[in-house]
Amino acid sequence: MPRRGLMFQARTRWLLVGLALLLSLLLIMYLLECAPQTDSNGSLPGIIGENFGKEHYQALLQEQEEHYQTRAMSLKRQIAQLKQELQEMSDKLKLLQEKKSPKVNSMGYQGTKEQAPNDLLEYLHSQIDKAEVSMGAKLPSEYGVIPFESFTSMKVFQLEMGLTRHPEEKPVRKDKRDELLEVIEAGLEVINNPDEEDGQDEEDRIGERQLYTENDFIEGYYRTERDKGTQYELFYKKADDMEYRHVTLFRPFGPLMKVKSETVDISRSIINIIVPLAGRTEVFAQFMQNFREVCINQDKRIHLTVVYFGPEGLSEVKSILESVAREASFHNYTLVSLNEEFNRGRGLDVGARAWEKGEVLMFFCDVDIYFNVEFLNSCRLNAEPGKKVFYPVVFSLYNPAIVYANQDVPPPVEQQLVHKKDSGFWRDFGFGMTCQYRTDFLAIGGFDLEVKGWGGEDVHLYRKYLHGDLIVLRTPVPGLFHLWHEKHCVDELTPEQYRMCIQSKAMNEASHSHLGMLVFREEIEAHLRKQAYRTNSEAIG
């Protein structure tokens, strides 16, 4: 055998021996540190003549717990250090093997195990290419969409609830929290250490570039495609800056891999909020209060388009708009009057075409929707002309008369905006609230205006996008609420529309537990009467 081969084998053997010694040392240290310690000089609690109370034992337990937590943290640090050293030794061994191994030619002869890392990397990249990350995938229907779940550093807003999970998870379960913290840190690594393909100048990378921290993380979305992996969309922003850093990561059932990193400037992005309306002037007045606080006082980059059907109530709507315009010096609104029967799709289509200033981001909104300024920024960040449309999932509030039945009067609307299982639900079957650019809406043909009455038109538009090439981003959004209002299902609806209306009416009324209490109200009251009668009988006896 050549001398070089003998030296390589000897060096490899010593490296393996070193790995074994390190692992043995780690095991011995772990056993020594975890062994219970005894103190022969310490006095035992409970000896005759000494009185020890409950507080004394609690203090001892707390002291022991703190001691073992400190030991555990120390061991974790040592384990991490040993793992790092082990990884470094493995990398050196791998480098030696690569230098020793013959190269594989293009025809695949002399194939060796050293091909595996390159083949694996190629496979992982192929998984990213197959996933709906860079371009949309054509889907047969809305049931083929895998929605995202949104999260912050403290909360996860999840669609799949069942009987045990909640619409807002806080605190986040430890395994999920560790996963998301890893993703947030990976995104920070991408931003703080950009490469050439991220499009940053050399001066920015060296000179005035600001470093981002975990406190600059704003929001994120993730979803898992079972046969490909998990996609993460992350947004970071400095406190006094309107530019967002957007990072896309993908975990193809392996290590996290960067897909892209970009800067998104939304400082000049105007949103045209289009509201179709017929009657309901009191609700519109409430909507304008929220609009004034959020859009006029805080965001200041909004145009409002109201498409009103019929003559009844038109003067009140005009008066409300003129009052807001006069008091807040706001004139970025358009009122379109149609002397027709209400048709939501028709109203949104007319509102979209009424804009005559070129490209604009549109938010299709209903009068009973409540939103905050964070949602408006999410609308801007998650819609992109020619590439992406945003379909947020609204949190729909239940009937406050049932939710707050134990109170004399339901609390103000602002205090009802909480993500709790008994207060509302994620309206995952609703597709009416959406952010999309005007050119995309017109290019796809807009709404199907043949759909009459309640529901259906938004689903048709949603399906059009699913059949096209644009990315459809669907995720629950914490800053978007649907306020409860009584629904009326008229006889003129088609059987399918009537069924959808009744289903929506039932789901909007109350939670599973509250509906159960209503169904069994008589049984509960009968039980209470029996209990009261029994108590009175025992008192008299």
Side-chain angles (χ1 to χ4, degrees):
M1 181 179 294
R3 182 176 181 82
R4 181 177 294 179
L6 291 173
M7 290 179 64
F8 175 76
Q9 284 191 355
R11 193 174 296 176
T12 303
R13 190 179 299 110
W14 279 111
L15 283 171
L16 293 175
V17 171
L19 293 177
L21 288 175
L22 278 173
L23 292 174
S24 301
L25 177 61
L26 176 62
L27 179 61
I28 293 171
M29 290 177 62
Y30 179 82
L31 292 174
L32 288 176
E33 292 294 336
C34 293
Q37 297 183 357
T38 59
D39 188 359
S40 58
N41 297 325
S43 58
L44 295 174
I47 298 178
I48 299 175
E50 295 181 8
N51 295 323
F52 294 93
K54 179 179 178 181
E55 292 78 10
H56 175 76
Y57 291 109
Q58 289 179 341
L60 285 176
L61 287 172
Q62 184 175 358
E63 181 180 354
Q64 289 295 320
E65 184 178 356
E66 293 175 353
H67 169 75
Y68 284 115
Q69 285 180 349
T70 304
R71 291 292 186 185
M73 292 298 296
S74 176
L75 282 173
K76 286 181 179 179
R77 285 194 296 268
Q78 295 177 39
I79 290 171
Q81 184 178 358
L82 288 171
K83 282 183 176 179
Q84 184 178 357
E85 294 176 1
L86 184 62
Q87 183 64 42
E88 291 174 356
M89 295 182 69
S90 298
D91 292 341
K92 291 179 180 178
L93 178 60
K94 180 180 175 182
L95 183 61
L96 288 172
Q97 290 175 339
E98 290 175 351
K99 289 181 179 179
K100 178 65 180 176
S101 302
K103 294 184 179 180
V104 182
N105 60 32
S106 60
M107 297 299 292
Y109 298 115
Q110 296 183 356
T112 61
K113 292 183 179 179
E114 282 69 30
Q115 279 183 274
N118 291 332
D119 292 343
L120 177 60
L121 190 60
E122 185 178 345
Y123 168 75
L124 295 178
H125 279 293
S126 70
Q127 291 295 93
I128 295 177
D129 294 337
K130 293 176 185 176
E132 191 182 355
V133 177
S134 300
M135 62 180 296
K138 295 184 179 181
L139 301 173
S141 71
E142 63 272 23
Y143 302 107
V145 175
I146 301 175
F148 287 81
E149 294 191 343
S150 60
F151 66 95
T152 65
S153 56
M154 299 297 293
K155 302 176 183 178
V156 172
F157 303 93
Q158 51 198 11
L159 283 178
E160 297 296 332
M161 295 190 299
L163 294 178
T164 57
R165 299 180 71 190
H166 296 271
E168 174 186 291
E169 185 180 359
K170 178 189 177 184
V172 183
R173 201 176 65 237
K174 185 180 184 304
D175 57 341
K176 176 61 67 177
R177 183 174 69 251
D178 292 343
E179 173 198 346
L180 297 180
L181 286 177
E182 178 194 1
V183 171
I184 293 172
E185 290 174 358
L188 289 171
E189 181 68 21
V190 171
I191 296 174
N192 292 329
N193 298 282
D195 48 34
E196 293 181 0
E197 65 183 24
D198 292 336
Q200 291 202 4
D201 296 333
E202 187 69 23
E203 295 181 357
D204 292 338
R205 295 201 297 269
I206 298 175
E208 300 178 357
R209 177 170 54 84
Q210 289 183 317
L211 293 179
Y212 285 73
T213 68
E214 291 182 5
N215 294 330
D216 299 321
F217 175 71
I218 302 299
E219 64 180 357
Y221 312 103
Y222 71 92
R223 68 173 180 178
T224 299
E225 297 183 64
R226 291 184 178 90
D227 59 337
K228 298 179 183 69
T230 304
Q231 174 185 350
Y232 301 91
E233 302 289 342
L234 311 173
F235 294 94
Y236 304 80
K237 185 178 80 71
K238 291 292 183 182
D240 299 325
D241 194 357
M242 287 308 298
E243 282 191 351
Y244 286 75
R245 294 304 307 272
H246 174 207
V247 177
T248 300
L249 301 175
F250 196 81
R251 192 196 300 272
F253 299 120
L256 281 168
M257 303 180 71
K258 186 190 81 172
V259 177
K260 68 176 179 179
S261 174
E262 61 183 356
T263 299
V264 183
D265 185 1
I266 62 171
S267 59
R268 298 181 180 179
S269 179
I270 301 294
I271 300 179
N272 183 15
I273 299 179
I274 304 176
V275 181
L277 184 64
R280 307 187 67 188
T281 54
E282 293 183 0
V283 180
F284 181 69
Q286 184 181 28
F287 172 86
M288 288 304 298
Q289 289 181 3
N290 177 50
F291 180 88
R292 179 173 179 174
E293 176 62 29
V294 174
C295 300
I296 301 177
N297 296 342
Q298 298 181 53
D299 191 88
K300 306 180 189 302
R301 292 162 292 162
I302 298 295
H303 186 95
L304 175 64
T305 300
V306 179
V307 181
Y308 195 85
F309 288 83
E312 185 177 353
L314 179 60
S315 59
E316 288 89 340
V317 170
K318 284 183 178 179
S319 176
I320 293 171
L321 288 171
E322 290 171 356
S323 175
V324 172
R326 183 174 58 255
E327 295 173 4
S329 298
F330 176 76
H331 303 286
N332 295 329
Y333 72 90
T334 302
L335 176 61
V336 180
S337 175
L338 298 178
N339 192 18
E340 305 172 10
E341 184 180 351
F342 179 79
N343 183 307
R344 185 177 185 273
R346 163 78 170 149
L348 293 173
D349 192 87
V350 169
R353 298 177 190 277
W355 179 269
E356 299 177 348
K357 301 177 184 179
E359 182 67 289
V360 70
L361 175 60
M362 304 182 301
F363 171 41
F364 294 158
C365 183
D366 287 344
V367 72
D368 43 32
I369 292 294
Y370 185 101
F371 54 86
N372 58 23
V373 70
E374 285 78 15
F375 163 74
L376 295 176
N377 289 332
S378 297
C379 181
R380 294 181 174 100
L381 291 170
N382 292 298
E384 188 175 345
K387 190 167 185 180
K388 190 189 303 182
V389 293
F390 185 41
Y391 272 86
V393 181
V394 182
F395 192 77
S396 190
L397 298 178
Y398 291 132
N399 187 345
I402 298 177
V403 176
Y404 305 99
N406 59 342
Q407 302 182 22
D408 295 335
V409 179
V413 171
E414 291 75 15
Q415 297 180 20
Q416 299 178 29
L417 306 178
V418 292
H419 301 96
K420 292 184 178 179
K421 204 166 188 176
D422 285 335
S423 64
F425 67 101
W426 292 112
R427 198 182 184 90
D428 59 341
F429 56 84
F431 307 97
M433 308 311 120
T434 172
C435 297
Q436 52 193 259
Y437 276 85
R438 185 174 183 268
T439 53
D440 294 330
F441 175 78
L442 297 178
I444 209 166
F447 287 102
D448 183 357
L449 300 182
E450 297 300 320
V451 178
K452 304 295 183 182
W454 186 92
E457 78 289 332
D458 49 1
V459 180
H460 282 79
L461 180 64
Y462 185 65
R463 287 173 181 166
K464 283 185 181 180
Y465 282 117
L466 296 180
H467 297 162
D469 295 325
L470 272 65
I471 295 175
V472 178
L473 197 152
R474 182 149 175 83
T475 183
V477 177
L480 195 61
F481 292 86
H482 177 268
L483 304 181
W484 181 88
H485 61 87
E486 187 174 359
K487 287 185 175 294
H488 300 282
C489 301
V490 297
D491 294 335
E492 289 77 14
L493 297 175
T494 66
E496 182 182 0
Q497 288 178 323
Y498 193 83
R499 180 187 59 80
M500 291 171 61
C501 185
I502 290 294
Q503 180 185 15
S504 177
K505 183 175 182 178
M507 293 189 67
N508 275 271
E509 198 66 21
S511 66
H512 191 141
S513 59
H514 277 151
L515 287 176
M517 296 297 287
L518 291 174
V519 170
F520 297 109
R521 176 187 293 175
E522 293 183 2
E523 189 173 329
I524 295 171
E525 292 176 351
H527 173 75
L528 293 176
R529 286 195 297 269
K530 290 179 181 179
Q531 288 291 99
Y533 176 78
R534 187 178 304 165
T535 302
N536 292 334
S537 299
E538 291 176 355
I540 294 173

